[in-house]
Amino acid sequence: MTNQQSRPGEPKAGDDPARRDVDLATLLERLLSQAPGKTQKDLASEAGISYPTLNAWMNRTRGTSRIDPEKLRAMVDVFRRWGVRTTPREFFEAVGRPAPGPSGDEREARLLKLYRQLPEARQRALLKDAEAMLQVSRIT
């Protein structure tokens, strides 16, 4: 075995063993413990998520790999309003996805302006390309 290989169960080079086992339930438990007086029901209500869905994520009875990115961002926003420090990156990593780049209003407005200037066929092609890029980013 070379130095580059690792044994099963051992972290690979570059892995952060402390973060490797943080799933969404673990993250939410930690963050909720930092928000005194706040409950899962409060989080669900303020983030626009049904309580049964959030509870299923917390109990690990429902998968988290297909959660709408906007729901993840909504939970980040709720925790920040409650004074709990967290980042979108934490949430995306907890569900096994690469964290998206920062979203800036100016950048999004520019993209929308360019999109609206394209002929309809090019708009459809751009959407297909964007969806393909998103799929590839979820795999890698």
Side-chain angles (χ1 to χ4, degrees):
M1 185 182 294
T2 68
N3 290 343
Q4 297 294 340
Q5 295 176 326
S6 62
R7 294 185 184 108
E10 288 184 356
K12 296 181 181 122
D15 277 1
D16 180 356
R19 307 227 10 119
R20 181 180 57 182
D21 295 324
V22 176
D23 65 356
L24 185 62
T26 302
L27 176 64
L28 291 174
E29 288 169 10
R30 178 175 59 83
L31 296 176
L32 280 167
S33 74
Q34 296 173 28
K38 299 298 184 177
T39 66
Q40 287 182 34
K41 285 185 179 182
D42 296 327
L43 176 60
S45 174
E46 291 190 41
I49 300 166
S50 76
Y51 173 71
T53 296
L54 180 67
N55 188 261
W57 294 336
M58 295 288 297
N59 291 317
R60 297 178 179 91
T61 58
R62 184 175 200 171
T64 59
S65 64
R66 294 183 181 258
I67 296 174
D68 181 340
E70 292 308 314
K71 297 293 184 192
L72 297 173
R73 288 184 182 97
M75 288 189 285
V76 170
D77 291 342
V78 169
F79 280 113
R80 286 178 173 174
R81 281 196 309 270
W82 292 348
V84 177
R85 293 181 65 172
T86 188
T87 64
R89 178 174 300 281
E90 282 186 292
F91 276 79
F92 280 85
E93 288 177 352
V95 297
R97 291 193 209 157
S103 176
D105 291 339
E106 184 178 315
R107 190 179 333 171
E108 288 176 5
R110 182 171 174 232
L111 182 59
L112 184 57
K113 183 178 179 180
L114 292 170
Y115 173 83
R116 288 178 175 163
Q117 293 175 31
L118 292 171
E120 186 176 354
R122 294 286 184 175
Q123 288 177 346
R124 284 194 301 268
L126 181 59
L127 288 174
K128 283 184 181 181
D129 288 346
E131 289 168 348
M133 284 190 282
L134 181 60
Q135 288 297 336
V136 168
S137 73
R138 287 182 178 164
I139 295 169
T140 58

